Amino acid sequence: MLKLSRLADYAIVILVKLGEQDGVVTSPALAAITGVPEPTVAKVLKVLSAHGFVLSQRGAKGGYRLARSLADMSVASVIAAVDGQIALTACVGGRECDTGLSCGLCGSWDVINTAIRSTLEGISLESMRPKEACFPVPSQINTLNTTHTVREGA
Amino acid sequence: MLKLSRLADYAIVILVKLGEQDGVVTSPALAAITGVPEPTVAKVLKVLSAHGFVLSQRGAKGGYRLARSLADMSVASVIAAVDGQIALTACVGGRECDTGLSCGLCGSWDVINTAIRSTLEGISLESMRPKEACFPVPSQINTLNTTHTVREGA
DNA sequence: TAATTAAAGACCTGAATGGTCCTGTTTCGG
DNA sequence: CCGAAACAGGACCATTCAGGTCTTTAATTA
């Protein structure tokens, strides 16, 4: 467990990919680049826009671009924006465990949460950029520039 | 997000509480102590037993006791036992992102996962034991020794 | 032998995430 | 001036999975 939500996963991928483009990029274009379904990309971008990670330009020839550099975005901030506060248990504030009166561990969780949070804050999106392709890239990848991503097998 | 599952939460609480008892303790007794529903306590204990965190004794006068000291149990190991491998995304091994061919971030996730894992491995259950009651304890807490935990308000 | 308790697994339920769609608003181009 | 393109902001549905319950079996003790 401790699995990251898929939306947060998408958000990080989208931001990194967006950072590699120049000019504004439309959500359909980002969908083609990332392989994520277009409505989902649009949804994620809306959230990211609301939290100031990307700047949006409406109307024809509109699209999105990064609001600041990838180096200035931490993994923690993106996750928090998409999924809410990073917390490893319901018993966050030291109050009101849902296990009733007898939990007795209340304060201890904050230690864990703080440790996790600072760990993720220390990782920037810039450091998520791969230096090389991590597995063999098929030739179909070139079709991205022309029309659409070919989603094979589905 | 990044919320810990409730089962893992329970497991940690149960282990800590079990460590404070002496002799074998039955699952109904632990349910009374922790306030967690008895079937759930039994379920968690079974998992913990299978992973060697507790020793079980069947039959009449049976029950559970710690297999080793709380200082020798890390938070990471308990979470991994209850919830499986600690991973922040589906794209763990560097292979086969579910976002298709164009993820391109594959290896980068492992950095995050390793960081999180080592953070949690550095925290022992011993350090989760509270030194004092963290919020005012009502007098009903005394009824624990006699019959059952009084779950108020529910 | 009978009572107690853990072991094991099947099964149901409910919440929440993931994903889609619709309508409105803004901007550019003809 | 009008229409197309693209974001904004919801509502909405569906699927998954975690959480929880129940039943049966096996072991131990009195």
Side-chain angles (χ1 to χ4, degrees):
Chain A
M1 173 16 182
L2 248 180
K3 273 206 318 276
L4 190 61
S5 81
R6 203 171 304 183
L7 270 304
D9 190 335
Y10 290 164
I12 292 175
V13 174
I14 288 172
L15 283 173
V16 170
K17 289 298 177 183
L18 184 57
E20 293 175 350
Q21 316 296 319
D22 47 312
V24 296
V25 185
T26 67
S27 50
L30 272 172
I33 292 172
T34 59
V36 178
E38 298 176 28
T40 302
V41 171
K43 184 182 202 173
V44 171
L45 283 171
K46 270 180 271 188
V47 175
L48 292 176
S49 174
H51 285 82
F53 289 93
V54 299
L55 299 176
S56 64
Q57 181 175 341
R58 300 175 67 157
K61 290 190 55 179
Y64 295 94
R65 60 191 171 88
L66 290 185
R68 55 185 187 274
S69 85
L70 290 178
D72 291 332
M73 300 181 185
S74 71
V75 172
S77 63
V78 177
I79 294 177
V82 176
D83 288 335
Q85 174 70 307
I86 297 176
L88 259 75
T89 175
C91 174
V92 182
R95 312 254 167 289
E96 292 293 320
C97 295
D98 55 356
T99 52
L101 304 168
S102 28
C103 162
L105 302 182
C106 305
S108 308
W109 294 108
D110 287 332
V111 179
I112 297 182
N113 289 330
T114 302
I116 296 287
R117 216 169 294 152
S118 62
T119 297
L120 292 179
E121 279 168 0
I123 305 179
S124 76
L125 291 194
E126 178 64 33
S127 62
M128 296 288 291
R129 293 181 59 179
K131 31 282 152 207
E132 57 192 287
C134 33
F135 52 82
V137 181
S139 55
Q140 295 110 314
I141 205 76
N142 293 328
T143 63
L144 285 177
N145 301 332
T146 59
T147 55
H148 270 304
T149 306
V150 180
R151 301 215 56 183
E152 57 195 10
Chain B
M1 165 36 173
L2 249 181
K3 272 205 318 273
L4 190 60
S5 80
R6 204 171 303 181
L7 270 304
D9 190 335
Y10 291 164
I12 292 175
V13 174
I14 288 173
L15 283 172
V16 171
K17 289 298 177 185
L18 184 57
E20 293 176 349
Q21 315 297 317
D22 46 314
V24 297
V25 185
T26 67
S27 49
L30 272 172
I33 292 172
T34 59
V36 178
E38 298 176 29
T40 301
V41 171
K43 186 181 202 172
V44 171
L45 283 171
K46 268 179 275 188
V47 175
L48 292 176
S49 173
H51 284 81
F53 289 93
V54 299
L55 299 176
S56 65
Q57 182 175 342
R58 299 174 69 156
K61 290 187 56 178
Y64 294 92
R65 61 191 172 87
L66 290 185
R68 55 185 188 274
S69 84
L70 290 178
D72 292 332
M73 300 180 184
S74 71
V75 172
S77 63
V78 177
I79 294 176
V82 176
D83 287 337
Q85 174 71 307
I86 297 177
L88 258 76
T89 175
C91 174
V92 181
R95 310 257 165 288
E96 291 294 317
C97 295
D98 56 354
T99 51
L101 304 169
S102 28
C103 162
L105 302 182
C106 306
S108 309
W109 294 107
D110 287 332
V111 179
I112 297 182
N113 289 330
T114 302
I116 296 286
R117 216 169 295 152
S118 62
T119 297
L120 292 179
E121 278 168 1
I123 304 178
S124 76
L125 291 193
E126 178 65 34
S127 62
M128 296 289 291
R129 294 181 59 180
K131 32 281 152 208
E132 58 192 286
C134 32
F135 51 83
V137 180
S139 55
Q140 297 111 311
I141 203 77
N142 293 329
T143 62
L144 285 177
N145 303 330
T146 59
T147 57
H148 271 304
T149 305
V150 180
R151 303 214 56 183
E152 58 194 9

